Amino acid sequence: MKLQKPKGTQDILPQESAKWQYLEEFARKTFKKYNYAEIRTPIFEHYEVISRSVGDTTDIVTKEMYDFYDKGDRHITLRPEGTAPVVRSYVENKLFAPEVQKPVKLYYMGSMFRYERPQAGRLREFHQIGVECFGSENPATDAETIAMAAQFFKEIGIGQVTLQLNSLGNAASRAAYRQALIDYLTPLKDSLSKDSQRRLEENPLRVLDSKEKEDKAAVEQAPSILDFLDEESQEHFAAVRSMLESLGVPYVINTNMVRGLDYYNHTIFEFTTDVAGSELTICAGGRYDGLVDYFGGPETPAFGFGMGMERLLLILEKQGAALPFETGLDAYIAVLGEAANRSALELVQALRNQGFAAERDYLNRKLKAQFKSADAFGAKTIITLGESEIESGQVTVKNNATRQEVLVGLDQVQENYQAVLEKLGC
Ligand code: ATP
Ligand code: MG
């Protein structure tokens, strides 16, 4: 029996989890500005919710699903991504109903599961923050959603991201392009990877998405999808581009970027960044106007993106960005002798009841060890409490940064510690 965590998973320990909370909080605040609200869907879904919507021939569905049959013989899978579950929920809960204000803007954050070969920024349980917007075909939705991601990266301190933009057009444009791509790739078939030879039959656009060297070389001269967009598709893409330009969001066009999932149409995008010479995608998304209909809802245009938390944290670390989150205690109570135990309990509770973060010694240790703890916990102040303090009703409170001390009444600590902090310049 293995008593270690499964391959490709992580324990997020307190120092790390503080960063996670900071990122999550920052995302919540950003999304709120754009009128997004949170949705929480189950960690597991019926296999079919994912398989056909994400695409039967995608890597996610063919190789990476954590699926199993439960005790009731239902085919279940841990969710590998956020969009299909949210669309399933949108339809199941009839959020398309006229009384629900449109567009419906939803965000989620949580674990996703893919059976992948673990490496830096690639895990088997990973975490995504994502958004989905339902009910607007306005190119302004594409532009503002992309701008929201750009604002998030900029304000959180991630530099040097590149926004890669492309359009898959509508179904008609895509069908025309598909044929052109087959005509281009068929003579090159033998030079493609095994996977891409199969992709060429099943879903030729996916060859463009391959990470294999030989495939990348083969597609370099491939026809551009932008040359196959019909008028409607061209207009939409031109509008998105010019809106991004008026918002001052820089982008590059990458006609070989097609995204690994089947449900996209029109605008697709990725934010990439360079980590130690290799390109890493931290956020990816686009328009998926057919998916609500696929799940049995009314035809509904939609747009969304997902970003990988582990990759965000990896890049923040590589770029040396300091996250300005608050840690530390307002007060640490150094306890002298067992006789002070009960008073220490009452005092630390009194501080917490006033809203302060407070800790005490529980272990009857030497003062020196207690002061070390106070430092380790980043305590702003230290209160020393022993029998004589209890008798006199007076305690010494020390500013742990400046070493300044004041003698104050125990009752004041119990009732108005804010005043004590102010006396010490905290
Ligand atoms: P990649 O091409 O890197 O495999 P993908 O196209 O499979 O990415 P998406 O399904 O678009 O990725 O997921 C959106 C984001 O989620 C990615 O840009 C990435 O930041 C993150 N992500 C995807 N798979 C993983 C993983 N296995 N581990 C960590 N993060 C991941
Ligand atoms: Mg992948």
Side-chain angles (χ1 to χ4, degrees), residues 114 116 121-123 126 128 211 259 281-282 284 306 308 311:
R114 297 184 194 177
E116 301 209 63
R122 196 174 291 285
L123 289 111
F126 64 102
Q128 277 187 350
K211 293 181 181 73
R259 307 281 310 111
T281 302
I282 50 175
R311 293 193 192 175

Side-chain angles (χ1 to χ4, degrees), residues 136-150:
S136 165
E137 58 183 2
N138 188 338
T141 290
D142 310 39
E144 76 155 32
T145 312
I146 294 172
M148 178 168 79

Side-chain angles (χ1 to χ4, degrees), residues 14-318:
Q15 279 228 323
E16 270 305 289
S17 66
K19 295 183 198 162
W20 285 71
Q21 287 177 11
Y22 179 79
L23 274 191
E24 287 162 0
E25 196 46 41
F26 205 95
R28 287 181 199 282
K29 281 193 191 137
T30 306
F31 298 161
K32 191 160 189 290
K33 291 182 206 163
Y34 291 77
N35 198 29
Y36 277 83
E38 186 177 7
I39 181 169
R40 301 187 188 201
T41 65
I43 299 268
F44 58 88
E45 292 276 353
H46 287 293
Y47 183 84
E48 294 72 23
V49 167
I50 308 294
S51 58
R52 296 245 328 265
S53 57
V54 169
D56 281 332
T57 64
T58 57
D59 282 355
I60 292 180
V61 173
T62 57
K63 301 180 190 163
E64 298 172 1
M65 296 273 266
Y66 271 95
D67 65 312
F68 58 95
Y69 288 85
D70 73 4
K71 291 184 170 58
D73 214 27
R74 299 170 195 91
H75 196 182
I76 296 291
T77 184
L78 302 186
R79 61 183 185 193
E81 59 105 51
T83 302
V86 171
V87 178
R88 195 256 324 126
S89 176
Y90 179 86
V91 173
E92 194 167 336
N93 293 287
K94 298 194 173 57
L95 299 184
F96 51 75
E99 58 270 25
V100 183
Q101 288 305 310
K102 301 296 174 315
V104 178
K105 292 175 161 184
L106 305 170
Y107 74 84
Y108 58 85
M109 28 186 87
S111 293
M112 307 293 160
F113 305 86
R114 297 184 194 177
Y115 193 78
E116 301 209 63
R117 199 142 44 87
Q119 48 195 284
R122 196 174 291 285
L123 289 111
R124 291 185 173 172
E125 181 187 17
F126 64 102
H127 299 76
Q128 277 187 350
I129 298 182
V131 307
E132 317 291 350
C133 174
F134 296 97
S136 165
E137 58 183 2
N138 188 338
T141 290
D142 310 39
E144 76 155 32
T145 312
I146 294 172
M148 178 168 79
Q151 183 179 17
F152 176 78
F153 297 135
K154 188 171 161 201
E155 290 181 354
I156 204 137
I158 294 182
Q160 294 140 29
V161 286
T162 307
L163 166 59
Q164 314 220 17
L165 196 65
N166 193 19
S167 173
L168 295 171
N170 56 17
S173 310
R174 212 162 140 175
Y177 178 64
R178 184 188 149 95
Q179 193 50 54
L181 194 60
I182 293 173
D183 294 345
Y184 167 82
L185 285 173
T186 303
L188 304 173
K189 188 170 177 184
D190 291 342
S191 69
L192 298 177
S193 71
K194 276 262 146 1
D195 270 342
S196 283
Q197 294 188 10
R198 180 178 49 79
R199 291 179 184 124
L200 179 55
E201 309 286 318
E202 294 170 343
N203 195 339
L205 263 71
R206 182 128 322 103
V207 179
L208 297 175
D209 204 35
S210 169
K211 293 181 181 73
E212 305 298 330
K213 247 205 224 105
E214 58 266 45
D215 299 335
K216 284 190 166 178
V219 301
E220 228 163 71
Q221 304 297 321
S224 160
I225 190 159
L226 297 183
D227 294 331
F228 293 82
L229 299 186
D230 63 11
E231 207 178 316
E232 181 219 348
S233 304
Q234 277 180 32
E235 266 172 28
H236 186 90
F237 196 44
V240 172
R241 291 180 58 169
S242 79
M243 286 170 175
L244 284 173
E245 281 153 26
S246 22
L247 293 180
V249 179
Y251 62 84
V252 297
I253 299 287
N254 177 356
T255 58
N256 277 357
M257 189 253 304
V258 293
R259 307 281 310 111
L261 300 85
D262 268 356
Y263 47 63
Y264 289 111
N265 65 338
H266 288 299
T267 321
I268 51 174
F269 70 97
E270 290 192 1
F271 282 90
T272 60
T273 176
D274 198 84
V275 179
S278 77
E279 200 170 72
L280 204 60
T281 302
I282 50 175
C283 172
R287 182 164 277 286
Y288 53 93
D289 295 337
L291 205 50
V292 173
D293 174 60
Y294 170 79
F295 274 97
E299 251 184 55
T300 305
F303 193 93
F305 66 71
M307 53 192 180
M309 290 277 282
E310 285 81 359
R311 293 193 192 175
L312 281 178
L313 287 160
L314 191 75
I315 285 151
L316 281 167
E317 194 178 315
K318 288 262 193 275

